[in-house]
Amino acid sequence: PFTTVYPLRVCTHLPTMLLRKGELFAVIAGLCAGLASVAGKFGFGESEGLEVFSFTTKLVPSAGAILLCVRGLFVGLFFFLNAAMWRFHLLALDLCESSARAVVFNTFANIISSGLFGFFFFEEKLSMLWFSGVGLTCAGLLFIQRSTGGGIGGSNDGDSDEKEENRQTRKEGREAEKEVQT
């Protein structure tokens, strides 16, 4: 049930009724990017969001060192999540029928997750303008999906037929090469 995609082991039985594997990886990449922004804000920002650890300044003389270690963990998490985002995005580019699909799904998931994470972690306000922008992004996603082969999770019969023909041609070429070598 698992396929090795260097250096990642990926489950081959992913739920693909709504999203294909490439699109799912693009969404995961967008979520990693959104989480990386949260980790970056905790690691590189002011002490905003780290008030939880402020009680230690009264209890522990070396609270500054503890806060520095916590920030260091968030900085490390920031770099790890960015690396994971790029890995999943590259997988999505490889597996999607078009790079536009991978980019749109990644961007959409990044925008949604960044907004929601900002709302929940930093009490940022989500205005009607933000929701309008998300709505327009959804509409754009649907338009791009329709132009590149159907709705979300839909198949693009033209591309599928063309890809199958290309696979068949490559297979015939390999067989011809083997015959020539023997």
Side-chain angles (χ1 to χ4, degrees):
F2 285 92
T3 301
T4 301
V5 180
Y6 182 79
L8 216 47
R9 256 182 111 198
V10 180
C11 180
T12 56
H13 299 296
L14 294 170
T16 57
M17 293 183 69
L18 292 176
L19 297 175
R20 289 180 226 140
K21 283 183 192 176
E23 295 161 349
L24 182 63
F25 287 146
V27 169
I28 293 170
L31 291 174
C32 286
L35 284 170
S37 68
V38 171
K41 198 164 186 176
F42 280 141
F44 295 113
E46 299 295 319
S47 61
E48 176 184 321
L50 294 176
E51 292 87 18
V52 174
F53 301 100
S54 64
F55 74 92
T56 58
T57 55
K58 297 173 185 141
L59 301 174
V60 181
S62 61
I66 293 172
L67 189 60
L68 188 63
C69 288
V70 170
R71 283 185 185 275
L73 288 173
F74 279 115
V75 168
L77 186 61
F78 168 78
F79 286 113
F80 172 78
L81 287 168
N82 271 298
M85 183 272 303
W86 277 110
R87 181 65 188 147
F88 282 113
H89 186 63
L90 290 174
L91 285 171
L93 286 171
D94 189 39
L95 294 173
C96 281
E97 293 173 359
S98 72
S99 60
R101 279 186 166 180
V103 171
V104 167
F105 273 93
N106 184 345
T107 303
F108 178 73
N110 187 357
I111 290 170
I112 295 291
S113 64
S114 294
L116 292 177
F117 292 150
F119 176 77
F120 287 116
F121 288 109
F122 305 108
E123 299 175 352
E124 294 175 354
K125 302 289 185 218
L126 299 179
S127 66
M128 285 306 293
L129 183 62
W130 185 84
F131 284 107
S132 300
V134 168
L136 289 172
T137 304
C138 285
L141 172 67
L142 290 175
F143 284 130
I144 289 176
Q145 282 298 93
R146 297 256 181 230
S147 70
T148 60
I152 297 175
S155 67
N156 187 348
D157 294 329
D159 277 354
S160 299
D161 292 341
E162 188 177 315
K163 283 185 174 186
E164 186 59 37
E165 287 176 22
N166 288 339
R167 275 190 223 119
Q168 188 65 27
T169 304
R170 286 193 303 266
K171 184 178 177 184
E172 291 169 0
R174 284 191 299 270
E175 290 172 357
E177 285 178 16
K178 287 180 184 177
E179 288 178 13
V180 169
Q181 290 176 354
T182 56

